[in-house]
Amino acid sequence: MWSAGLVPCTLTVALLALSGCRSAGTGGAATAPEGEGQIALNNGSLLEAWYAYTRRCGVRVWGEDELGPRVVLHPGQSAAWPETAGCYDLLVLTNPRIEPRFEARYERRVVVADQQTIIVIADADWGPSAATPATPAPMP
C-alpha cells in the first residue's frame, strides 16, 4: 500500500523525468534536442594555426584538437568540422615549440543546425599564449 506522501513525490519525479524528452511525432520516440552545424576556421593571418580547441560556453575544460594530429592551417588555408548546435568558445594556438607562442580566442560563437559558423583568424587576433596543447604537436 502506498503512503499518502509517497504518491505525490513519485508522480513529481516521473513528470520531471518525462518533461525533458521530446517527441518527433513518431509514436513518442525521443529525438536529439539540437541539430548539427559546422565550424569553419579560416586562417586570414600571417601565422600558422597548429591547434584549434572548442568547448561549450560555460565549460572550463577544452576538448580535443579539432584540426587533428597532422593538420596545420597555413596562411590562407581553412578547415571545418561538425559541432552540435549551441554556444562555443574556440582557442587557436601557434606552434608550441617556437617562441614566442601565440593564441587567438573566440568566445560565445553560436553554431546553428544545418549552417556553417565561419571564424576568420586575423593578425590582430593573435596574442601571447601561456596555453600548451594536451596533444602532441603535428608533424608537417
Coordinates of all heavy atoms in Angstrom, one line a residue, residues 13-81:
V13 N 8.5 13.2 -9.6 CA 9.7 12.7 -10.2 C 9.5 12.2 -11.6 O 10.2 12.4 -12.5 CB 10.4 11.6 -9.3 CG1 11.6 11.0 -10.0 CG2 10.8 12.2 -8.0
A14 N 8.4 11.4 -11.8 CA 8.1 10.9 -13.1 C 7.8 12.0 -14.1 O 8.3 11.9 -15.2 CB 6.9 9.9 -13.0
L15 N 7.1 13.0 -13.7 CA 6.8 14.1 -14.6 C 8.0 14.9 -15.0 O 8.2 15.3 -16.1 CB 5.7 15.0 -14.0 CG 4.3 14.5 -13.9 CD1 3.4 15.4 -13.2 CD2 3.8 14.2 -15.3
L16 N 8.9 15.1 -14.0 CA 10.2 15.8 -14.3 C 11.0 15.0 -15.3 O 11.6 15.6 -16.1 CB 10.9 16.1 -13.0 CG 10.4 17.2 -12.1 CD1 11.1 17.2 -10.8 CD2 10.4 18.5 -12.8
A17 N 11.1 13.7 -15.1 CA 11.9 12.9 -16.0 C 11.3 12.9 -17.4 O 12.1 13.0 -18.4 CB 11.9 11.5 -15.5
L18 N 10.0 12.9 -17.5 CA 9.4 12.9 -18.9 C 9.4 14.3 -19.5 O 9.4 14.4 -20.7 CB 7.9 12.4 -18.8 CG 7.8 10.9 -18.4 CD1 6.3 10.6 -18.2 CD2 8.4 10.0 -19.5
S19 N 9.5 15.3 -18.8 CA 9.4 16.7 -19.3 C 10.7 17.0 -20.2 O 10.6 17.8 -21.0 CB 9.2 17.7 -18.3 OG 10.4 17.8 -17.4
G20 N 11.8 16.3 -19.9 CA 13.0 16.5 -20.7 C 13.0 15.9 -22.0 O 13.9 16.1 -22.8
C21 N 12.1 15.0 -22.3 CA 12.1 14.3 -23.6 C 11.3 15.0 -24.6 O 10.3 15.7 -24.3 CB 11.4 12.9 -23.4 SG 12.3 11.8 -22.2
R22 N 11.7 14.9 -25.9 CA 11.0 15.5 -27.0 C 10.5 14.4 -27.9 O 11.2 13.4 -28.1 CB 11.9 16.4 -27.8 CG 12.3 17.6 -27.0 CD 13.1 18.5 -27.9 NE 13.5 19.7 -27.1 CZ 14.2 20.7 -27.6 NH1 14.5 20.7 -28.9 NH2 14.5 21.7 -26.8
S23 N 9.4 14.6 -28.5 CA 8.8 13.6 -29.4 C 8.9 14.1 -30.8 O 8.6 15.3 -31.1 CB 7.4 13.3 -29.0 OG 6.8 12.5 -29.9
A24 N 9.2 13.3 -31.7 CA 9.2 13.6 -33.1 C 7.9 13.4 -33.8 O 7.8 13.5 -35.0 CB 10.3 12.8 -33.8
G25 N 6.9 13.0 -33.0 CA 5.6 12.7 -33.6 C 5.6 11.3 -34.1 O 4.7 11.0 -34.9
T26 N 6.6 10.4 -33.8 CA 6.6 9.1 -34.3 C 6.4 8.1 -33.2 O 7.3 7.3 -32.9 CB 8.0 8.8 -35.0 OG1 9.0 9.1 -34.1 CG2 8.1 9.7 -36.3
G27 N 5.3 8.2 -32.6 CA 5.0 7.2 -31.5 C 5.7 7.5 -30.2 O 6.0 6.5 -29.5
G28 N 6.1 8.7 -30.0 CA 6.8 9.0 -28.7 C 8.3 8.8 -28.8 O 8.9 8.8 -27.7
A29 N 8.9 8.6 -29.9 CA 10.3 8.3 -30.0 C 11.1 9.6 -29.7 O 10.7 10.7 -30.1 CB 10.7 7.9 -31.4
A30 N 12.1 9.5 -28.9 CA 12.9 10.7 -28.5 C 13.8 11.2 -29.6 O 14.3 10.3 -30.4 CB 13.7 10.4 -27.2
T31 N 14.0 12.5 -29.8 CA 14.9 13.0 -30.8 C 15.9 13.8 -30.1 O 15.8 14.2 -29.0 CB 14.1 13.9 -31.8 OG1 13.5 15.0 -31.1 CG2 13.0 13.1 -32.5
A32 N 17.0 14.1 -30.8 CA 18.1 14.9 -30.3 C 17.5 16.3 -30.0 O 16.8 16.8 -30.9 CB 19.2 14.9 -31.2
P33 N 17.9 17.0 -28.9 CA 17.4 18.3 -28.6 C 18.0 19.4 -29.6 O 17.4 20.4 -29.7 CB 17.9 18.5 -27.2 CG 19.0 17.6 -27.0 CD 18.8 16.4 -27.9
E34 N 19.1 19.1 -30.2 CA 19.7 20.1 -31.1 C 20.2 19.4 -32.4 O 20.5 18.2 -32.3 CB 20.9 20.7 -30.4 CG 20.5 21.4 -29.1 CD 21.7 21.8 -28.3 OE1 22.8 21.1 -28.4 OE2 21.7 22.8 -27.5
G35 N 20.3 20.1 -33.4 CA 20.9 19.6 -34.7 C 22.4 19.8 -34.7 O 23.0 20.2 -33.8
E36 N 22.9 19.5 -35.9 CA 24.4 19.6 -36.1 C 24.7 20.7 -37.1 O 24.1 20.7 -38.1 CB 24.9 18.3 -36.5 CG 26.4 18.2 -36.5 CD 27.0 16.9 -36.8 OE1 27.2 16.1 -35.8 OE2 27.2 16.5 -38.0
G37 N 25.6 21.5 -36.7 CA 26.1 22.6 -37.6 C 27.6 22.3 -37.9 O 28.1 21.2 -37.7
Q38 N 28.3 23.4 -38.3 CA 29.7 23.2 -38.6 C 30.4 24.5 -38.2 O 29.9 25.6 -38.4 CB 29.8 22.9 -40.1 CG 31.2 22.4 -40.5 CD 31.2 22.1 -42.0 OE1 30.9 22.9 -42.8 NE2 31.5 20.8 -42.3
I39 N 31.7 24.3 -37.7 CA 32.6 25.5 -37.5 C 33.6 25.4 -38.7 O 34.2 24.4 -38.9 CB 33.3 25.4 -36.2 CG1 32.3 25.6 -35.0 CG2 34.4 26.4 -36.1 CD1 32.9 25.6 -33.6
A40 N 33.7 26.5 -39.3 CA 34.7 26.7 -40.4 C 35.8 27.7 -39.9 O 35.4 28.8 -39.6 CB 34.1 27.1 -41.7
L41 N 37.0 27.3 -39.8 CA 38.1 28.2 -39.4 C 38.9 28.5 -40.6 O 39.5 27.7 -41.2 CB 38.9 27.4 -38.3 CG 40.1 28.2 -37.7 CD1 39.6 29.4 -36.9 CD2 40.9 27.3 -36.8
N42 N 39.0 29.8 -40.9 CA 39.8 30.3 -42.0 C 41.0 31.1 -41.4 O 40.8 32.0 -40.6 CB 39.0 31.3 -42.9 CG 37.8 30.6 -43.5 OD1 37.8 29.4 -43.7 ND2 36.7 31.4 -43.7
N43 N 42.2 30.8 -41.9 CA 43.4 31.4 -41.4 C 43.7 32.6 -42.3 O 44.3 32.5 -43.4 CB 44.6 30.5 -41.3 CG 45.8 31.1 -40.6 OD1 45.7 32.3 -40.3 ND2 46.8 30.4 -40.4
G44 N 43.2 33.8 -41.9 CA 43.5 35.0 -42.7 C 44.7 35.8 -42.1 O 44.8 37.0 -42.4
S45 N 45.5 35.1 -41.3 CA 46.6 35.8 -40.7 C 47.9 35.3 -41.3 O 47.9 34.5 -42.2 CB 46.7 35.5 -39.2 OG 47.1 34.2 -39.0
L46 N 49.0 35.9 -40.8 CA 50.4 35.5 -41.3 C 51.0 34.4 -40.5 O 52.1 33.9 -40.9 CB 51.3 36.8 -41.3 CG 50.8 37.9 -42.2 CD1 51.7 39.1 -42.1 CD2 50.8 37.5 -43.7
L47 N 50.4 34.0 -39.5 CA 50.9 32.9 -38.6 C 50.2 31.6 -38.9 O 49.1 31.6 -39.4 CB 50.7 33.2 -37.1 CG 51.4 34.5 -36.6 CD1 51.1 34.7 -35.2 CD2 52.9 34.4 -36.8
E48 N 50.9 30.5 -38.6 CA 50.3 29.2 -38.8 C 49.5 28.8 -37.5 O 49.9 29.1 -36.4 CB 51.4 28.1 -39.0 CG 52.2 28.3 -40.2 CD 53.4 27.3 -40.3 OE1 53.8 26.8 -39.2 OE2 53.9 27.1 -41.4
A49 N 48.3 28.2 -37.8 CA 47.5 27.7 -36.7 C 47.7 26.2 -36.5 O 47.4 25.4 -37.4 CB 46.0 28.0 -37.0
W50 N 48.3 25.8 -35.4 CA 48.6 24.4 -35.2 C 47.6 23.6 -34.5 O 47.4 22.4 -34.6 CB 49.9 24.3 -34.5 CG 51.1 24.5 -35.3 CD1 51.4 25.5 -36.2 CD2 52.2 23.6 -35.5 NE1 52.6 25.3 -36.8 CE2 53.1 24.1 -36.4 CE3 52.5 22.3 -35.0 CZ2 54.3 23.5 -36.8 CZ3 53.7 21.7 -35.3 CH2 54.6 22.3 -36.3
Y51 N 46.8 24.3 -33.6 CA 45.8 23.6 -32.8 C 44.5 24.5 -32.8 O 44.6 25.7 -32.8 CB 46.3 23.4 -31.4 CG 47.5 22.5 -31.3 CD1 48.8 23.1 -31.2 CD2 47.4 21.2 -31.2 CE1 49.9 22.3 -31.1 CE2 48.5 20.3 -31.1 CZ 49.7 20.9 -31.1 OH 50.8 20.1 -31.0
A52 N 43.4 23.8 -32.7 CA 42.1 24.5 -32.6 C 41.3 23.7 -31.6 O 40.9 22.5 -31.9 CB 41.4 24.7 -33.9
Y53 N 41.0 24.2 -30.4 CA 40.2 23.6 -29.4 C 38.8 24.2 -29.2 O 38.8 25.5 -29.3 CB 40.9 23.6 -28.1 CG 42.3 22.9 -28.1 CD1 43.4 23.6 -28.2 CD2 42.4 21.5 -28.0 CE1 44.7 23.0 -28.2 CE2 43.6 20.9 -28.0 CZ 44.7 21.6 -28.1 OH 46.0 21.0 -28.1
T54 N 37.8 23.5 -29.0 CA 36.5 24.0 -28.8 C 36.0 23.5 -27.4 O 36.5 22.5 -26.9 CB 35.4 23.6 -29.8 OG1 35.4 22.2 -29.9 CG2 35.8 24.2 -31.2
R55 N 35.1 24.3 -26.8 CA 34.4 23.9 -25.6 C 33.0 24.6 -25.6 O 32.9 25.7 -26.2 CB 35.2 24.2 -24.4 CG 35.3 25.7 -24.1 CD 36.2 26.0 -22.9 NE 36.3 27.4 -22.7 CZ 37.2 27.9 -21.9 NH1 38.0 27.2 -21.1 NH2 37.3 29.2 -21.7
R56 N 32.1 23.9 -25.0 CA 30.8 24.6 -24.8 C 30.9 25.8 -24.0 O 31.7 25.8 -23.0 CB 29.8 23.6 -24.2 CG 29.3 22.5 -25.0 CD 28.2 23.1 -26.0 NE 27.5 22.0 -26.5 CZ 26.3 22.1 -27.1 NH1 25.7 23.3 -27.1 NH2 25.7 21.1 -27.6
C57 N 30.2 26.8 -24.2 CA 30.2 28.0 -23.4 C 29.9 27.7 -22.0 O 29.0 26.9 -21.7 CB 29.1 29.1 -23.9 SG 29.5 29.7 -25.5
G58 N 30.6 28.2 -21.0 CA 30.4 27.9 -19.6 C 31.2 26.7 -19.1 O 31.3 26.5 -17.9
V59 N 31.8 25.9 -20.0 CA 32.6 24.8 -19.6 C 34.1 25.2 -19.5 O 34.5 26.0 -20.3 CB 32.5 23.6 -20.7 CG1 33.4 22.5 -20.4 CG2 31.0 23.2 -20.8
R60 N 34.8 24.7 -18.5 CA 36.1 25.1 -18.3 C 37.2 24.3 -19.0 O 38.3 24.8 -19.3 CB 36.4 25.0 -16.8 CG 35.5 26.0 -16.0 CD 35.9 26.0 -14.6 NE 37.3 26.6 -14.5 CZ 37.6 27.6 -13.6 NH1 36.7 28.0 -12.8 NH2 38.8 28.1 -13.6
V61 N 36.9 23.1 -19.4 CA 37.9 22.2 -20.0 C 37.7 22.2 -21.5 O 36.6 22.1 -22.1 CB 37.6 20.7 -19.5 CG1 38.6 19.8 -20.1 CG2 37.7 20.7 -18.0
W62 N 38.9 22.4 -22.2 CA 38.9 22.3 -23.6 C 38.8 20.9 -24.2 O 39.3 20.0 -23.5 CB 40.2 23.0 -24.2 CG 40.3 24.4 -23.9 CD1 41.0 25.0 -22.9 CD2 39.6 25.5 -24.6 NE1 40.8 26.4 -22.9 CE2 39.9 26.7 -24.0 CE3 38.7 25.5 -25.7 CZ2 39.4 27.9 -24.4 CZ3 38.2 26.7 -26.1 CH2 38.6 27.9 -25.4
G63 N 38.2 20.8 -25.3 CA 38.1 19.4 -25.9 C 39.3 19.1 -26.7 O 40.4 19.7 -26.4
E64 N 39.2 18.1 -27.6 CA 40.4 17.6 -28.3 C 40.7 18.6 -29.5 O 39.9 19.4 -29.9 CB 40.1 16.3 -28.9 CG 39.7 15.3 -27.8 CD 40.5 14.0 -27.9 OE1 41.2 13.8 -28.8 OE2 40.3 13.2 -27.0
D65 N 41.9 18.5 -30.0 CA 42.3 19.3 -31.1 C 41.5 19.0 -32.3 O 41.5 17.9 -32.8 CB 43.8 19.1 -31.4 CG 44.3 19.8 -32.7 OD1 43.7 20.9 -33.0 OD2 45.3 19.4 -33.3
E66 N 40.7 20.0 -32.8 CA 39.8 19.8 -33.9 C 40.5 19.7 -35.3 O 39.9 19.1 -36.2 CB 38.8 21.0 -34.0 CG 37.9 21.1 -32.8 CD 36.9 20.0 -32.5 OE1 36.7 19.2 -33.4 OE2 36.3 20.0 -31.5
L67 N 41.7 20.1 -35.3 CA 42.5 20.0 -36.6 C 43.1 18.7 -36.8 O 43.4 18.3 -37.9 CB 43.6 21.1 -36.6 CG 43.1 22.5 -36.6 CD1 44.4 23.5 -36.6 CD2 42.2 22.9 -37.8
G68 N 43.2 17.9 -35.7 CA 43.8 16.6 -35.9 C 45.3 16.6 -35.8 O 45.9 17.7 -35.8
P69 N 45.9 15.4 -35.7 CA 47.3 15.3 -35.4 C 48.3 15.8 -36.5 O 49.4 16.0 -36.3 CB 47.5 13.8 -35.1 CG 46.4 13.2 -35.8 CD 45.3 14.1 -35.8
R70 N 47.8 15.9 -37.8 CA 48.7 16.2 -38.9 C 48.3 17.4 -39.7 O 48.8 17.6 -40.8 CB 48.8 15.0 -39.8 CG 49.3 13.7 -39.1 CD 49.8 12.7 -40.2 NE 50.4 11.6 -39.6 CZ 51.6 11.4 -39.1 NH1 52.4 12.5 -39.1 NH2 52.0 10.3 -38.6
V71 N 47.4 18.2 -39.1 CA 46.9 19.4 -39.9 C 47.5 20.6 -39.3 O 47.3 20.9 -38.1 CB 45.4 19.4 -40.0 CG1 44.9 20.7 -40.6 CG2 44.9 18.2 -40.7
V72 N 48.1 21.5 -40.1 CA 48.5 22.8 -39.7 C 47.8 23.7 -40.7 O 47.9 23.5 -41.9 CB 50.0 23.0 -39.8 CG1 50.4 24.4 -39.5 CG2 50.7 22.1 -38.7
L73 N 47.1 24.8 -40.2 CA 46.5 25.7 -41.1 C 47.5 26.8 -41.4 O 47.8 27.7 -40.6 CB 45.3 26.4 -40.5 CG 44.0 25.6 -40.5 CD1 42.8 26.4 -39.9 CD2 43.6 25.0 -41.8
H74 N 48.0 26.8 -42.6 CA 48.9 27.8 -43.1 C 48.1 29.1 -43.5 O 46.9 29.0 -43.7 CB 49.8 27.3 -44.3 CG 50.6 26.1 -43.9 ND1 51.8 26.3 -43.3 CD2 50.4 24.8 -44.1 CE1 52.4 25.1 -43.1 NE2 51.5 24.2 -43.5
P75 N 48.7 30.2 -43.6 CA 48.0 31.4 -44.0 C 47.2 31.1 -45.3 O 47.7 30.6 -46.2 CB 49.1 32.4 -44.2 CG 50.2 32.0 -43.3 CD 50.2 30.5 -43.3
G76 N 45.9 31.5 -45.3 CA 45.1 31.3 -46.4 C 44.3 30.0 -46.5 O 43.4 29.8 -47.3
Q77 N 44.7 29.1 -45.6 CA 44.0 27.8 -45.6 C 42.8 27.8 -44.6 O 42.7 28.6 -43.7 CB 45.0 26.7 -45.2 CG 46.0 26.4 -46.2 CD 46.9 25.2 -45.8 OE1 47.2 25.0 -44.6 NE2 47.4 24.5 -46.8
S78 N 41.9 26.8 -44.8 CA 40.7 26.6 -44.0 C 40.6 25.2 -43.6 O 41.1 24.3 -44.2 CB 39.5 27.0 -44.8 OG 39.6 28.4 -45.2
A79 N 39.8 25.0 -42.5 CA 39.4 23.7 -42.0 C 38.0 23.8 -41.5 O 37.6 24.9 -41.0 CB 40.4 23.1 -41.0
A80 N 37.2 22.7 -41.5 CA 35.9 22.7 -40.9 C 35.6 21.4 -40.3 O 36.2 20.4 -40.6 CB 34.8 23.0 -42.0
W81 N 34.8 21.5 -39.2 CA 34.4 20.2 -38.5 C 33.0 20.4 -38.0 O 32.5 21.5 -37.8 CB 35.4 20.0 -37.4 CG 35.5 21.0 -36.4 CD1 34.7 21.2 -35.2 CD2 36.4 22.1 -36.4 NE1 35.1 22.3 -34.6 CE2 36.2 22.9 -35.2 CE3 37.4 22.5 -37.3 CZ2 36.9 24.1 -34.9 CZ3 38.1 23.7 -37.0 CH2 37.9 24.4 -35.8

